[in-house]
């Protein structure tokens, strides 16, 4: 199973909504940077760390769910 999202994994993508699955414990640096269309983000309770600038340039981000 997936336990981490690597650095720049989704950078510059056109993703709009993301729900990180339970079991993921870390999000790498710049993982979602410059995802201009991202407006909804849900984190799992298992998340322990978020890398620097993971969401830099996500200006449309309106809703973030943190358990």
């Amino acid at each position: 199973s997936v336990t981490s999202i690597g650095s720049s994994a989704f950078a510059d993508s056109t993703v709009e909504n993301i729900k990180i699955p339970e079991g993921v414990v870390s999000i790498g640096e710049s993982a979602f940077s410059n995802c201009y269309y991202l407006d909804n983000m849900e984190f799992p309770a298992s998340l322990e760390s978020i890398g620097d600038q993971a969401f830099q340039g996500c200006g449309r981000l309106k809703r973030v769910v943190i358990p």
Side-chain angles (χ1 to χ4, degrees):
S1 69
V2 176
T3 59
S4 66
I5 295 173
S7 297
S8 301
F10 294 93
D12 301 309
S13 74
T14 58
V15 65
E16 296 178 17
N17 299 294
I18 296 173
K19 182 176 181 179
I20 307 290
E22 194 61 45
V24 171
V25 295
S26 66
I27 296 174
E29 290 182 13
S30 303
F32 297 95
S33 65
N34 299 319
C35 289
Y36 301 113
Y37 302 102
L38 181 61
D39 66 5
N40 183 32
M41 183 84 206
E42 292 186 42
F43 296 105
S46 60
L47 189 64
E48 297 174 2
S49 67
I50 298 174
D52 291 339
Q53 301 175 341
F55 299 96
Q56 179 180 348
C58 298
R60 289 187 174 184
L61 193 56
K62 298 178 219 171
R63 182 173 180 263
V64 177
V65 178
I66 302 172

